[in-house]
Amino acid sequence: MNGVKAIAGFSIVIAILLLATPLSSGWESGQTWGYKWEVDWKDSLNNSDKNTTFQGSIEGKTVHMFFVKYMGEENGEYKFHYEGVYYSYGYIKGTASRHDSLYNMSGSVDMTLKSFWVNYEGDSHLVKVVDHEAFNEATYYGMKDISIHVYTKEPIDMHMEETYTGEGMGAKNTMNMKTKLEGTIDINTLITFEKPIPYLPDNSTPNYVSTETSANYSGHWKVNTEGYSYVKSSSQGIGANTSIDMNVSLNKNVDESFSGTLDDVFVMMSKHGNSVSRCGILENIPFAITGIYPSPFIQNSSKIEVSGFIKSAFILNHYAKYNGDFYSSVKEDETTGSFNVNIHSEEYSEPATENEVKSVENNAPAEYGSYQGEGFFIPTLYLIIIAVVAAIIVVAIVVIVKKKH
């Protein structure tokens, strides 16, 4: 996937010595940091690509917010509690086209998202890490473990159909995608890293640190969903003709405990002034729940895997502004999971309070409205296909659409 900063399965040759030392952090028990993104889908059209036009109707809202609270030292470790909510609804119906010097593309989209409301909470422990690489010493705060409870507050209800044709770089391409997902998901898990993963810098942290580790996880999940993920595509070009025709069932009913280990997990953190790229696990959680479903591009794969959620939760890095003790704002650069609306991908978060987050967790429709049907028309406007038209599709499909741009 383009833009992925954290990669599982990439090995490095480093001698690492990790020491957890209860040094003074400067945090105060009860200190809280909050993050919020609010978007009206129509407003997102104002930040569009001039090479892309859209004609049709669009209506909807998306809000994502969470807070992190420092709970104090516990057995020489720094304990943090977090809570968050992701709420989205709306519809997009119309046609889009994109023309530039490399590629021409046109297509239609018919997407209805009646409800995507996910709440999540948990605790994590950070430890002070001293990392010896050759003759250099690096220090940072690493995430030792994290507990996660993520669940759909009300059943997911989404339907989408897209058809695209494109021509460029010596190839002609067609793609038809259909997605339907309805039902509930509830996952409770504890993830423990063999070596703490870099999460927060301190004043002596170098511009780049990384860790290769394994992640042990266990918990319980309940999944009761119906639907399908279908893709049919073809490409005809110089020297190569390919086609895909796959349909994956999303009809799942699971209520059981689980445990497992992910090996060869590679996580990095980089700094550029006060801008830090680090594991985006806390903001990734609500999107990652649908990472449990298989991709329609993988033949003979219909089994859902909780490991898909674990991977999706920490596989993507995001930039955040470091203010000397914690992150004051976060920028969600990538999507993760299989189905989501990510219209605010290029914006840094606004501040949010603990009470504000809890209020939306309990009363999102009352505060942001809910799906009321269709019928609102917008004349020809510019639209970013990746962020809006192709908003709710399987991750593999997102990657292909990006390549076709």
Side-chain angles (χ1 to χ4, degrees), residues 96-265:
S97 61
R98 175 182 175 82
H99 302 281
D100 58 32
S101 59
L102 297 177
Y103 201 82
N104 296 322
M105 184 175 181
S106 62
S108 63
V109 60
D110 186 346
M111 185 267 282
T112 299
L113 179 61
K114 293 184 178 180
S115 177
F116 194 98
W117 183 2
V118 176
N119 288 351
Y120 61 104
E121 64 179 342
D123 300 306
S124 67
H125 292 90
L126 301 186
V127 294
K128 187 80 170 187
V129 173
V130 180
D131 187 346
H132 293 277
E133 300 183 9
F135 299 102
N136 298 319
E137 181 176 279
T139 63
Y140 55 86
Y141 291 96
M143 182 179 292
K144 178 183 177 182
D145 57 49
I146 182 170
S147 64
I148 301 172
H149 181 207
V150 55
Y151 60 95
T152 50
K153 180 68 172 179
E154 61 183 24
I156 297 172
D157 190 343
M158 51 170 289
H159 306 259
M160 184 171 186
E161 181 172 355
E162 292 181 284
T163 301
Y164 293 105
T165 60
E167 184 174 0
M169 295 177 287
K172 294 182 179 180
N173 305 283
T174 63
M175 181 174 291
N176 182 21
M177 300 170 288
K178 297 180 181 179
T179 298
K180 174 185 176 182
L181 181 62
E182 298 177 348
T184 59
I185 301 172
D186 190 321
I187 301 174
N188 245 311
T189 186
L190 173 65
I191 307 171
T192 302
F193 300 99
E194 182 185 7
K195 299 173 184 177
I197 61 173
Y199 187 74
L200 190 71
D202 68 6
N203 292 332
S204 62
T205 302
N207 291 334
Y208 177 87
V209 293
S210 63
T211 293
E212 184 181 19
T213 184
S214 61
N216 299 309
Y217 59 90
S218 61
H220 190 275
W221 64 336
K222 296 175 65 176
V223 179
N224 189 352
T225 60
E226 295 181 352
Y228 54 82
S229 179
Y230 169 79
V231 58
K232 183 177 182 179
S233 68
S234 65
S235 178
Q236 297 179 337
I238 300 175
N241 295 319
T242 61
S243 63
I244 296 174
D245 190 352
M246 297 185 184
N247 191 359
V248 174
S249 172
L250 304 183
N251 297 336
K252 302 299 174 184
N253 195 328
V254 175
D255 187 352
E256 62 187 19
S257 298
F258 61 81
S259 63
T261 300
L262 293 177
D263 295 316
D264 301 321
V265 176

